[in-house]
Amino acid sequence: MGSLKRTPLFEIYKKYGGKIIEFGGWEMPVQYSNIIEEHHTVRNHAGLFDVSHMGEIKVDGPDAEDFVQYLVTNDVKKMKDNQVQYNLMCYPSGGVVDDLLIYKYSSNSYMLVVNAANIDKDYDWIMQNKGNFDVKIENMSDRIAQLAFQGPQAEEILQKLTDYDLSSIKFFYFTETKVGGKDVLISRTGYTGEDGFEIYLAPQDAVYMWDLILETGRDQGVKPVGLGARDTLRFEAGLPLYGHEISEEITPLEAGLGIFVKLNTDDFIGKDVLMKQKEEGLKRKLVGFEMIDRGIPRAQFKVAKDGEIIGFVTTGSYSPTLDKNIGLALVKSQYSELGTEFEVLRGKRSMRAKVIPIPFYKKNYKK
C-alpha cells in the first residue's frame, strides 16, 4: 500500500489498535476494537473518527454564489451565512458527480466538502465548468485535517475543551472558535444519524486534538471508531454512500433524494434531465428491505421477482442496532411498495426479502 495517501493521524492508528485497509486511495483504519462495539459506542456514548481524507475545495469571488448554485441541485441562494447544506453535484445526464456539504461563509465565499475518493475528479469538474464566472477555486484538502465526534454525549464532552457555548450551534450550522486551545472550524453535522460535530483544523494539530478528545471522554466511554462502523451507522440512518446509492448511473431522484433537488431554482447542471425524469415518473426507486431468509445481502447482489431480474442491492449488512439483516436496493418502481417480497440472489442461492420503510434508524439529531 506504499503509493496510497495517509492522513496526519496515520502514525498513531496503531497506538489505538487500528486495523488498516485501503479505502478510496487511502490507508485508513477499518476498526480499532470491533465494528459492532464501535457502532454501539456511537449510538450510546460518543465515538471519534478520523475523516481527514475528505476533501475541501474553496470557491471565492463576486460570482461565487451563482457559480456554486450552477454546480449543485439544492437551493444555495437560500443559505444563511455560517450555514451548511447537503447537496448533489450532477452531470448533464442527471447522474451524480458527487454528494457534498457546502459551508457558506458569505455570498462571496463557500467551502465544498467532498468525498475522499472523488477529490481530484470533483476539482477537475468544477474547473471545467468555471466558464466566465468570476471566482477563484482552490483545492485546500492537503491543508485541512478533519475529525468527526459523534454520539449523544459528544456535546457534553467537547464542551469541556472550549469556552464557546456549543449548544448555540444549530443543526447544520458552523462557527470558527478554539477547541483545546487550537483554532478550529466546528459544525453540528455528521454521517452517523447521531448528534455531534465535525472539526476542521490544521494538520499539525490533528494528533493533539485526537488524543485530547479521547482522554477527556475516556470515563464516559468514548472510543476511536473506524470506517466499518461509520458505514453501518450511516446505512442504518439512510444516509447515501457515493458509488452505492448514488453514482454516475443513479440520479438523486432514483435514490430518494428529491428533497435536495430544487427544480424551481436557477439553472443547474443536470436540471433538464431531472425535471423530465420527475415529469415522466421514475422507472427505478431505492427501497429498504429486510431479509426473510437467513443470509446477509451484499452490494451488487442481484434482486429478482418471479424469475425476472428487477434490480440490485446497493448496500447490505447486519444491523447492530436492529439486530437483523437489512439492505438497500435499486429496483423497478412497480416493485417498490412496502411489503413487496422479492428474492436476493447470491450466486445460485435465492434468499427471500421484504420491502420495509427507510431510514431503518430514526435519526437522533439536536435541532
Side-chain angles (χ1 to χ4, degrees):
M1 294 193 285
S3 62
L4 299 177
K5 298 178 182 177
R6 295 175 173 180
T7 82
L9 286 157
F10 179 81
E11 295 299 333
I12 68 162
Y13 291 157
K14 290 183 180 178
K15 173 182 175 182
Y16 294 91
K19 179 183 177 182
I20 310 301
I21 63 166
E22 177 187 353
F23 176 79
W26 294 76
E27 289 183 83
M28 299 293 294
V30 64
Q31 64 186 64
Y32 295 89
S33 52
N34 71 74
I35 291 174
I36 293 177
E37 179 181 315
E38 292 168 22
H39 182 107
H40 289 308
T41 293
V42 175
R43 288 276 183 257
N44 300 316
H45 305 285
L48 185 63
F49 303 78
D50 176 22
V51 286
S52 301
H53 57 315
M54 301 290 283
E56 294 84 14
I57 299 172
K58 280 292 298 296
V59 178
D60 295 302
D63 293 342
E65 183 179 78
D66 287 336
F67 178 55
V68 174
Q69 182 66 81
Y70 177 63
L71 289 173
V72 298
T73 64
N74 209 338
D75 192 350
V76 173
K77 295 189 174 182
K78 285 190 174 179
M79 292 179 69
K80 299 177 181 176
D81 291 355
N82 290 80
Q83 190 173 5
V84 187
Q85 187 182 69
Y86 178 75
N87 245 301
L88 296 127
M89 189 160 60
C90 288
Y91 293 104
S93 64
V96 179
V97 180
D98 202 3
D99 63 338
L100 62 158
L101 292 182
I102 294 178
Y103 287 65
K104 179 180 179 179
Y105 294 90
S106 72
S107 59
N108 293 333
S109 182
Y110 295 83
M111 180 172 73
L112 282 51
V113 180
V114 304
N115 283 300
N118 293 337
I119 295 173
D120 292 341
K121 180 185 74 171
D122 290 359
Y123 180 72
D124 290 344
W125 178 254
I126 292 168
M127 292 299 293
Q128 288 171 27
N129 287 280
K130 178 177 176 295
N132 294 321
F133 289 103
D134 186 3
V135 292
K136 177 186 176 185
I137 302 164
E138 186 177 10
N139 182 358
M140 302 177 67
S141 304
D142 291 339
R143 306 207 300 273
I144 298 177
Q146 185 187 353
L147 306 181
F149 191 40
Q150 299 279 293
Q153 297 179 350
E155 180 181 305
E156 177 187 345
I157 295 165
L158 203 60
Q159 189 62 72
K160 299 175 182 176
L161 300 176
T162 179
D163 293 331
Y164 191 89
D165 180 9
L166 296 177
S167 68
S168 68
I169 304 176
K170 298 178 183 177
F171 183 61
F172 263 59
Y173 277 81
F174 70 93
T175 192
E176 292 177 286
T177 184
K178 288 186 181 293
V179 172
K182 303 296 184 182
D183 292 326
V184 301
L185 182 156
I186 181 169
S187 59
R188 189 179 288 274
T189 54
Y191 192 51
T192 61
E194 300 298 332
D195 182 44
F197 301 91
E198 292 180 305
I199 305 165
Y200 301 81
L201 69 170
Q204 61 268 28
D205 295 333
V207 170
Y208 166 81
M209 190 67 70
W210 175 269
D211 285 337
L212 182 64
I213 293 173
L214 289 176
E215 179 61 28
T216 303
R218 177 189 295 176
D219 292 342
Q220 290 174 263
V222 171
K223 295 178 181 176
V225 182
L227 294 177
R230 183 171 170 83
D231 191 50
T232 56
L233 289 158
R234 72 89 193 165
F235 166 55
E236 287 184 346
L239 301 171
L241 175 63
Y242 188 81
H244 289 249
E245 283 70 48
I246 48 177
S247 71
E248 185 171 356
E249 286 77 37
I250 305 173
T251 74
L253 300 181
E254 292 174 323
L257 300 172
I259 191 173
F260 305 109
V261 179
K262 300 297 192 285
L263 296 172
N264 60 348
T265 187
D266 293 357
D267 190 28
F268 61 80
I269 300 171
K271 181 178 180 180
D272 291 344
V273 171
L274 294 173
M275 187 172 289
K276 183 179 179 183
Q277 193 175 57
K278 186 173 183 179
E279 290 173 352
E280 294 180 350
L282 296 171
K283 296 179 181 178
R284 304 186 299 176
K285 289 184 179 178
L286 190 75
V287 300
F289 66 87
E290 65 178 343
M291 299 303 294
I292 299 173
D293 291 334
R294 291 173 59 87
I296 298 177
R298 296 300 186 192
Q300 299 303 317
F301 282 7
K302 293 179 179 177
V303 175
K305 177 75 173 178
D306 299 328
E308 176 193 3
I309 301 298
I310 63 167
F312 62 93
V313 176
T314 59
T315 299
S317 175
Y318 166 73
S319 164
T321 303
L322 304 179
D323 190 25
K324 59 184 177 183
N325 297 326
I326 56 176
L328 295 166
L330 190 66
V331 300
K332 293 181 178 179
S333 296
Q334 59 265 41
Y335 302 108
S336 63
E337 293 295 321
L338 295 179
T340 300
E341 291 191 15
F342 50 59
E343 297 84 42
V344 175
L345 307 181
R346 180 179 185 179
K348 294 182 180 179
R349 183 184 174 196
S350 175
M351 304 177 289
R352 291 179 300 147
K354 180 177 71 175
V355 177
I356 61 173
I358 46 177
F360 305 110
Y361 175 79
K362 184 179 179 182
K363 300 179 185 71
N364 189 28
Y365 296 144
K366 182 179 179 180
K367 295 186 177 180

